[in-house]
Amino acid sequence: MFQADETAYRREVARLVSWCGHNNLQLNAQKTVEMIVDFRKVTAPLPPLALMDSPITIADSFRFLGTTITRDLKWEQTISSLIKKAQQRMFFLRS
């Protein structure tokens, strides 16, 4: 079952690369990261994903539209970032 899911995932990535090529869009493999969200108890290491023959780095978290998304889908990093910004702005109001 796991191998079938992996094959489908890689097929979708290949479709995305093909679609971008047909629509005159260029993917930058150096700026692309992969984040795997997997809540299974037993996980096997996955082979690295390659985009246009360039390996894609695996990230534990990334920022998207001001929100930090992590592998475990928890909110701690986003909340910490928001609290830090609020404290910085509150400091200017106190002065």
Side-chain angles (χ1 to χ4, degrees):
M1 178 178 167
F2 176 72
Q3 195 68 333
D5 295 340
E6 172 74 19
T7 304
Y9 170 64
R10 293 190 183 271
R11 188 172 43 245
E12 287 300 317
V13 170
R15 277 187 54 204
L16 173 67
V17 171
S18 174
W19 183 88
C20 288
H22 292 330
N23 290 289
N24 298 322
L25 296 173
Q26 204 171 32
L27 293 172
N28 188 345
Q30 294 175 347
K31 291 184 178 180
T32 304
V33 296
E34 175 184 25
M35 186 176 70
I36 300 168
V37 178
D38 190 1
F39 293 112
R40 292 180 289 187
K41 292 183 181 181
V42 178
T43 59
L46 298 173
L49 183 65
L51 185 65
M52 299 178 296
D53 297 327
S54 297
I56 303 299
T57 58
I58 297 176
D60 290 329
S61 66
F62 69 96
R63 289 188 54 86
F64 182 70
L65 298 176
T67 303
T68 303
I69 302 171
T70 61
R71 296 181 86 142
D72 56 3
L73 300 178
K74 302 236 184 226
W75 288 93
E76 283 88 8
Q77 287 186 357
T78 300
I79 292 170
S80 296
S81 174
L82 289 172
I83 289 171
K84 184 177 177 181
K85 284 181 186 179
Q87 287 174 339
Q88 289 172 346
R89 292 189 174 116
M90 293 297 287
F91 176 77
F92 290 118
L93 292 175
R94 281 186 274 164
S95 296

